[in-house]
Tab-separated table of all heavy atoms in Angstrom:
chain	number	residue	atom	x	y	z
S	204	LEU	N	225.373	141.405	150.013
S	204	LEU	CA	224.256	142.309	149.760
S	204	LEU	C	224.369	142.954	148.383
S	204	LEU	O	223.374	143.071	147.653
S	204	LEU	CB	224.185	143.398	150.836
S	204	LEU	CG	223.830	142.970	152.254
S	204	LEU	CD1	223.617	144.191	153.136
S	204	LEU	CD2	222.596	142.080	152.289
S	208	MET	N	221.724	142.771	145.047
S	208	MET	CA	221.188	143.907	144.297
S	208	MET	C	221.215	143.605	142.799
S	208	MET	O	220.245	143.843	142.070
S	208	MET	CB	222.021	145.166	144.586
S	208	MET	CG	221.901	145.698	145.990
S	208	MET	SD	220.353	146.595	146.304
S	208	MET	CE	220.683	148.133	145.434
S	273	ASP	N	217.571	141.460	151.253
S	273	ASP	CA	218.938	141.963	151.084
S	273	ASP	C	218.938	143.343	150.437
S	273	ASP	O	219.735	144.220	150.807
S	273	ASP	CB	219.761	141.005	150.210
S	273	ASP	CG	220.296	139.814	150.985
S	273	ASP	OD1	220.124	139.769	152.215
S	273	ASP	OD2	220.900	138.916	150.353
S	274	VAL	N	218.073	143.537	149.460
S	274	VAL	CA	217.974	144.833	148.778
S	274	VAL	C	217.621	145.930	149.781
S	274	VAL	O	218.245	147.005	149.795
S	274	VAL	CB	216.921	144.775	147.646
S	274	VAL	CG1	216.582	146.182	147.137
S	274	VAL	CG2	217.421	143.908	146.487
S	275	LEU	N	216.650	145.666	150.630
S	275	LEU	CA	216.229	146.673	151.613
S	275	LEU	C	217.322	146.944	152.644
S	275	LEU	O	217.528	148.089	153.056
S	275	LEU	CB	214.937	146.223	152.295
S	275	LEU	CG	213.694	146.191	151.391
S	275	LEU	CD1	212.502	145.608	152.139
S	275	LEU	CD2	213.365	147.590	150.884
S	276	THR	N	218.032	145.902	153.054
S	276	THR	CA	219.140	146.104	153.995
S	276	THR	C	220.234	146.947	153.358
S	276	THR	O	220.780	147.868	153.985
S	276	THR	CB	219.721	144.745	154.437
S	276	THR	OG1	218.686	143.968	155.051
S	276	THR	CG2	220.867	144.936	155.429
S	277	TYR	N	220.556	146.639	152.098
S	277	TYR	CA	221.587	147.399	151.381
S	277	TYR	C	221.188	148.877	151.289
S	277	TYR	O	221.980	149.768	151.634
S	277	TYR	CB	221.759	146.814	149.976
S	277	TYR	CG	222.802	147.515	149.130
S	277	TYR	CD1	224.093	147.006	149.023
S	277	TYR	CD2	222.498	148.679	148.425
S	277	TYR	CE1	225.055	147.642	148.246
S	277	TYR	CE2	223.444	149.328	147.653
S	277	TYR	CZ	224.725	148.807	147.566
S	277	TYR	OH	225.685	149.434	146.790
S	278	LEU	N	219.969	149.142	150.833
S	278	LEU	CA	219.533	150.526	150.640
S	278	LEU	C	219.479	151.290	151.960
S	278	LEU	O	219.721	152.506	151.992
S	278	LEU	CB	218.153	150.553	149.966
S	278	LEU	CG	218.109	150.055	148.514
S	278	LEU	CD1	216.664	150.004	148.019
S	278	LEU	CD2	218.946	150.940	147.598
S	279	SER	N	219.196	150.586	153.052
S	279	SER	CA	219.105	151.258	154.357
S	279	SER	C	220.454	151.789	154.831
S	279	SER	O	220.513	152.634	155.726
S	279	SER	CB	218.528	150.294	155.401
S	279	SER	OG	219.449	149.260	155.703
S	280	ARG	N	221.553	151.303	154.243
S	280	ARG	CA	222.886	151.741	154.646
S	280	ARG	C	223.363	152.979	153.889
S	280	ARG	O	224.356	153.599	154.279
S	280	ARG	CB	223.897	150.611	154.401
S	280	ARG	CG	223.743	149.430	155.337
S	280	ARG	CD	224.715	148.327	154.976
S	280	ARG	NE	224.696	147.249	155.971
S	280	ARG	CZ	225.350	146.105	155.844
S	280	ARG	NH1	226.086	145.883	154.762
S	280	ARG	NH2	225.275	145.184	156.791
S	281	LEU	N	222.680	153.327	152.806
S	281	LEU	CA	223.162	154.426	151.963
S	281	LEU	C	222.861	155.789	152.590
S	281	LEU	O	221.795	156.002	153.156
S	281	LEU	CB	222.529	154.333	150.579
S	281	LEU	CG	222.813	153.039	149.801
S	281	LEU	CD1	222.116	153.059	148.447
S	281	LEU	CD2	224.316	152.815	149.625
S	282	LYS	N	223.826	156.709	152.460
S	282	LYS	CA	223.694	158.031	153.058
S	282	LYS	C	223.550	159.129	152.007
S	282	LYS	O	222.865	160.121	152.233
S	282	LYS	CB	224.922	158.349	153.920
S	282	LYS	CG	225.172	157.380	155.052
S	282	LYS	CD	226.350	157.831	155.908
S	282	LYS	CE	227.628	157.970	155.072
S	282	LYS	NZ	228.799	158.364	155.892
S	286	VAL	N	223.439	158.626	145.329
S	286	VAL	CA	223.708	157.189	145.299
S	286	VAL	C	222.436	156.415	145.613
S	286	VAL	O	222.131	155.398	144.970
S	286	VAL	CB	224.828	156.821	146.301
S	286	VAL	CG1	224.971	155.309	146.417
S	286	VAL	CG2	226.152	157.448	145.865
S	287	PHE	N	221.662	156.907	146.581
S	287	PHE	CA	220.413	156.229	146.930
S	287	PHE	C	219.469	156.187	145.728
S	287	PHE	O	218.908	155.130	145.400
S	287	PHE	CB	219.727	156.915	148.109
S	287	PHE	CG	218.522	156.160	148.601
S	287	PHE	CD1	218.642	155.213	149.606
S	287	PHE	CD2	217.268	156.377	148.034
S	287	PHE	CE1	217.538	154.489	150.039
S	287	PHE	CE2	216.160	155.650	148.460
S	287	PHE	CZ	216.301	154.710	149.466
S	290	CYS	N	220.580	153.692	143.101
S	290	CYS	CA	220.378	152.286	143.465
S	290	CYS	C	218.906	151.923	143.612
S	290	CYS	O	218.496	150.814	143.241
S	290	CYS	CB	221.101	151.978	144.778
S	290	CYS	SG	222.900	152.105	144.687
S	291	ALA	N	218.103	152.829	144.172
S	291	ALA	CA	216.729	152.484	144.520
S	291	ALA	C	215.799	152.427	143.316
S	291	ALA	O	214.912	151.557	143.249
S	291	ALA	CB	216.188	153.480	145.543
S	292	ILE	N	215.978	153.338	142.371
S	292	ILE	CA	215.032	153.402	141.248
S	292	ILE	C	214.961	152.083	140.469
S	292	ILE	O	213.859	151.567	140.232
S	292	ILE	CB	215.364	154.593	140.320
S	292	ILE	CG1	215.041	155.911	141.037
S	292	ILE	CG2	214.589	154.503	139.012
S	292	ILE	CD1	215.484	157.157	140.291
S	294	GLN	N	215.538	149.124	141.519
S	294	GLN	CA	214.982	148.076	142.376
S	294	GLN	C	213.459	148.171	142.481
S	294	GLN	O	212.762	147.140	142.456
S	294	GLN	CB	215.615	148.145	143.775
S	294	GLN	CG	217.126	148.011	143.807
S	294	GLN	CD	217.620	146.639	143.363
S	294	GLN	OE1	216.920	145.646	143.501
S	294	GLN	NE2	218.839	146.580	142.830
S	295	VAL	N	212.922	149.391	142.603
S	295	VAL	CA	211.464	149.509	142.674
S	295	VAL	C	210.828	149.236	141.318
S	295	VAL	O	209.706	148.719	141.238
S	295	VAL	CB	211.021	150.884	143.241
S	295	VAL	CG1	211.491	151.042	144.678
S	295	VAL	CG2	211.509	152.044	142.381
S	332	ILE	N	214.444	155.443	152.286
S	332	ILE	CA	214.265	154.027	152.587
S	332	ILE	C	212.833	153.708	153.023
S	332	ILE	O	212.299	152.636	152.683
S	332	ILE	CB	215.290	153.544	153.649
S	332	ILE	CG1	215.217	152.015	153.808
S	332	ILE	CG2	215.102	154.280	154.948
S	332	ILE	CD1	215.478	151.217	152.547
S	335	VAL	N	210.775	153.401	149.909
S	335	VAL	CA	211.076	152.162	149.180
S	335	VAL	C	210.438	150.967	149.883
S	335	VAL	O	209.891	150.067	149.233
S	335	VAL	CB	212.595	151.971	149.024
S	335	VAL	CG1	212.920	150.580	148.461
S	335	VAL	CG2	213.167	153.048	148.105
S	339	MET	N	207.829	148.411	148.173
S	339	MET	CA	208.025	146.958	148.172
S	339	MET	C	206.821	146.268	148.807
S	339	MET	O	206.327	145.254	148.305
S	339	MET	CB	209.313	146.598	148.926
S	339	MET	CG	210.597	147.033	148.240
S	339	MET	SD	210.927	146.062	146.741
S	339	MET	CE	212.586	146.614	146.331
Side-chain angles (χ1 to χ4, degrees):
L204 293 188
M208 292 284 285
D273 279 355
V274 167
L275 292 175
T276 301
Y277 180 98
L278 292 174
S279 70
R280 290 176 173 173
L281 300 179
K282 301 184 302 182
V286 172
F287 187 91
C290 295
I292 290 173
Q294 302 294 332
V295 296
I332 188 59
V335 171
M339 292 290 189

